[in-house]
Amino acid sequence: MRYNSQNINIQSLSSWFNGDYTTVDVLRLDRIHPVISGNKWFKLKYYLEAAERTGKNTIASFGGAYSNHIAALAYAGREHGLKTIGFIRGEAHSPLSHTLTAAQACGMELVFINRSDYRFKDAIIQTHADPGWYWIPEGGYGPEGARGASEILKLVDVSGYSHILCAVGTGTMMAGLVRTASANQEVIGISVMKGNEALQKAVDDLLDAGDQQKQHRILHDYHFGGYGKHPSNLVRFMQGLWENEQLPTDIVYTSKLLFAVKDCIEKKYFHKNSRLLVIHSGGLQGNNSLPPHTLPF
Ligand SMILES: *Cc1c(COP(=O)(O)O)cnc(C)c1O
């Protein structure tokens, strides 16, 4: 899959420097591609490869109306000449969300599944069984996704960082980061869901016994009310981050991550002279669902 790795850079947040911390750097994966940004390129890579290797012509997956995974899959499928089908949670609303409109424009077929049936993914897969289809689990969760995400920390030299921080949805990206992190680094995931205590196990299930021993933890206090919730204090934080650092963030993942990092710094969570690498995993297309002019970027 093609992406523009030259655009990926590290941005230091100079206004956050408070004397106790050497560095807060942001790895700008969002700059890979103007439409489909961030970790989804990496997470999809080996699923696409497996689909092609096994001679499938169609990729099917699951997601909600604002899913970055669905948006990225639609785009990547078109790039690879594979048909894509998105099984979407809930009823079709008119007009469709920006995400789904964009997915459709890439050629994805959308199948809407009511919320009670959507919980039974295996039944959906059985009903639609087709030998030409390759199924990717919801959100790209799985070993292939983690394997792709394990390449994120190989893009740049990360050996000088003490902590790697990322937003967590399914935990796939975090597992990939833990795989590549070294024993003296700690990977900290910020859950964007309320009380998703199953995440730690979800991450560990994607790691072998050796990698499970590496330092990694998930913080659950920065969900801002739950998945997709973006109260006005979060939006104000995003506006400030843009004004002070010209760093664009998304309402679902990276704004909560950056808020958490700042809060942890202020609460002296990290030891002195920590060097933090914050993964900007993209997702900016999700901001299109906000009223126009909510954000200055
Ligand atoms: C999907 C996504 C995540 C979460 O990745 P998981 O591997 O599901 O934990 C984080 N940030 C952004 C911007 C995303 O789109």
Side-chain angles (χ1 to χ4, degrees), residues 189-255:
I190 306 301
S191 172
V192 301
M193 275 174 272
K194 193 172 174 173
N196 188 358
E197 303 296 335
L199 268 179
Q200 187 71 50
K201 183 174 183 309
V203 171
D204 284 341
D205 283 349
L206 298 178
L207 298 174
D208 65 26
D211 286 336
Q212 283 174 5
Q213 300 307 313
K214 290 183 184 167
Q215 306 176 70
H216 62 288
R217 77 175 60 169
I218 297 172
L219 304 184
H220 292 277
D221 299 331
Y222 298 100
H223 55 73
F224 283 83
Y227 186 74
K229 297 279 192 302
H230 47 275
S232 55
N233 60 330
L234 184 66
V235 174
R236 275 199 304 280
F237 173 75
M238 294 166 76
Q239 289 162 342
L241 200 51
W242 175 256
E243 275 157 31
N244 296 325
E245 298 284 354
Q246 285 71 57
L247 183 67
T249 48
D250 79 291
I251 48 172
V252 181
Y253 293 100
T254 52
S255 56

Side-chain angles (χ1 to χ4, degrees), residues 101-122:
T101 306
Q104 233 173 17
C106 287
M108 179 179 266
E109 184 186 328
L110 303 177
V111 181
F112 290 87
I113 307 280
N114 71 54
R115 280 163 195 275
S116 51
D117 290 347
Y118 185 84
R119 286 187 291 131
F120 303 102
K121 308 270 181 333
D122 290 343

Side-chain angles (χ1 to χ4, degrees), residues 16-23 265 268 270-275:
W16 287 23
F17 182 73
N18 70 352
D20 283 352
Y21 296 91
T22 315
T23 334
I265 291 173
K268 308 231 179 284
F270 304 104
H271 60 76
K272 214 170 153 70
N273 297 328
S274 295
R275 289 171 59 94

